[in-house]
Amino acid sequence: MTPNANEDAQPLDEDLLTARVYTVDGVTDVFPPAPTLTLIPQALTAIVTGSPKRLNRVNVSTDGATTALTIRVGTSIDAATPDTAKRVADTLLDSIPDGHDATVTVQVSRIA
Amino acid sequence: MNENEPRTLNCGKTIEELSAYLAADRTPYDPSIEACPECLNALQGLTRVSQLFHDLITQDVTDLPAPRENWFEDIMTNIHREVRSGRSLPLPHPDKRVDLSLTEGAVLALIRSAGDIVPGLVIGTCHLKGNVEEPGAPVDVSVTASIVWNQPIPDATRTLRTHIYEALATHTALNVTSVNITIKDLHRALSDENKEN
């Protein structure tokens, strides 16, 4: 039996991916991938720990065959937003190990 | 909307909560606000309104009526309406595995920030008219604004229009075909109204 390629590849680490996105020129923020109201447990953790980064991260999900990387970012008004968004997507694409069938969704939610 | 009805964002926060948070100098730190783009866009707009209010009460212009009583309420309601994510504006990427987009709320906040460049002007409403979700479709930008009495309106609107065009060209892939600006309010400082009372 041929194993699923995604089972052989290393899992994508959300914290590592998030850290890489923060290094992209023009990125000012990484936001929770869903409206905060739906993230109440994580929000409570963030309040208790004082660590909003527990909320703000790349979201990695999989249906077994395809991995979806989703992120909401804020961008700098001093850099062209389409270019920044493209750099974020390219950074995430470059982070996908061989053997992963993945999609990347980047939403810019704030320019400041 | 009833003026006593809370103006709630998609994240659950209200404009009134954000206004109180701003008034408290954003303390104690609330990660559910500081990690939310809608809240941050709203705080940015509310900060400008607050600054404008301060500017108005420290100016000395006497020839025109003060702003309407509900002028600031209207602006806050518009900020509430605009900061919600809204439609999704596509951005280009050559790889078909990638989906890039920009929220309408972020773009409207960007347009509102362009108003900061014009002294004494505050944007009331912003609308993107057209199918912004279709790449290349023509989009008309419609803006209303209020301006303090001593500013030349043609110069102010010309400057605002230029900055809106530049901001949208830099930060979006929209095909902007027009930027229409309507000055709906002309006012003097609030402090002079207070002196008369």
Side-chain angles (χ1 to χ4, degrees):
Chain A
M1 185 177 84
T2 304
N4 185 319
N6 279 357
E7 290 174 3
D8 284 350
Q10 289 185 331
L12 290 161
D13 182 87
E14 292 181 339
D15 290 335
L16 183 62
L17 293 172
T18 304
R20 285 183 182 156
V21 169
Y22 269 113
T23 68
V24 174
D25 282 349
V27 170
T28 57
D29 290 296
V30 175
F31 296 116
T36 314
L37 194 61
T38 65
L39 294 170
I40 288 174
Q42 294 93 323
L44 287 173
T45 303
I47 291 168
V48 169
T49 62
S51 174
K53 288 182 179 175
R54 296 291 297 266
L55 284 170
N56 304 359
R57 58 202 298 176
V58 178
N59 180 257
V60 179
S61 61
T62 181
D63 62 3
T66 303
T67 302
L69 278 59
T70 307
I71 190 169
R72 289 202 302 169
V73 296
T75 62
S76 168
I77 201 164
D78 296 324
T81 294
D83 295 343
T84 303
K86 182 176 181 299
R87 284 194 293 271
V88 171
D90 291 344
T91 297
L92 293 176
L93 284 174
D94 289 345
S95 301
I96 298 169
D98 291 343
H100 270 278
D101 184 11
T103 61
V104 172
T105 301
V106 179
Q107 183 191 70
V108 178
S109 301
R110 176 167 161 78
I111 305 165
Chain B
M1 171 180 285
N2 184 307
E3 66 180 37
N4 296 320
E5 193 177 324
R7 290 166 283 214
T8 308
L9 306 183
N10 291 342
C11 61
K13 289 281 186 287
T14 66
I15 289 291
E16 288 72 20
E17 283 177 287
L18 295 175
S19 192
Y21 184 61
L22 188 63
D25 287 334
R26 298 167 82 151
T27 57
Y29 182 85
D30 185 339
S32 67
I33 291 176
E34 300 289 351
C36 171
E38 289 183 20
C39 289
L40 293 174
N41 284 333
L43 284 173
Q44 185 178 338
L46 291 171
T47 301
R48 281 197 292 274
V49 174
S50 173
Q51 286 169 345
L52 179 76
F53 187 87
H54 178 265
D55 290 347
L56 288 177
I57 62 175
T58 55
Q59 287 178 7
D60 185 26
V61 184
T62 57
D63 296 337
L64 285 176
R68 286 177 287 110
E69 188 178 340
N70 58 353
W71 186 60
F72 285 107
E73 281 294 315
D74 287 350
I75 292 173
M76 288 172 71
T77 298
N78 290 327
I79 290 172
H80 162 244
R81 180 182 57 77
E82 290 164 12
V83 298
R84 288 176 291 183
S85 296
R87 293 175 287 180
S88 188
L89 285 56
L91 294 172
H93 195 284
D95 193 317
K96 64 181 182 183
R97 296 173 296 169
V98 174
D99 178 10
L100 299 185
S101 66
L102 179 58
T103 65
E104 186 173 19
V107 174
L108 294 177
L110 178 71
I111 293 172
R112 190 170 282 280
S113 72
D116 291 350
I117 295 157
V118 186
L121 184 142
V122 63
I123 290 180
T125 61
C126 315
H127 294 285
L128 299 177
K129 296 179 177 175
N131 187 0
V132 295
E133 295 177 296
E134 177 68 33
V139 174
D140 297 314
V141 180
S142 177
V143 169
T144 67
S146 174
I147 190 166
V148 75
W149 155 242
N150 59 359
Q151 294 297 315
I153 292 175
D155 290 349
T157 54
R158 191 179 307 115
T159 303
L160 178 60
R161 182 176 290 105
T162 299
H163 284 287
I164 290 174
Y165 266 121
E166 286 176 353
L168 294 177
T170 301
H171 294 288
T172 77
L174 292 175
N175 174 23
V176 179
T177 50
S178 68
V179 175
N180 303 304
I181 301 169
T182 305
I183 300 295
K184 292 193 74 172
D185 282 303
L186 190 65
H187 54 79
R188 68 171 167 87
L190 294 173
S191 54
D192 299 307
E193 182 80 359
N194 294 337
K195 285 176 194 170
E196 292 166 9
N197 294 332

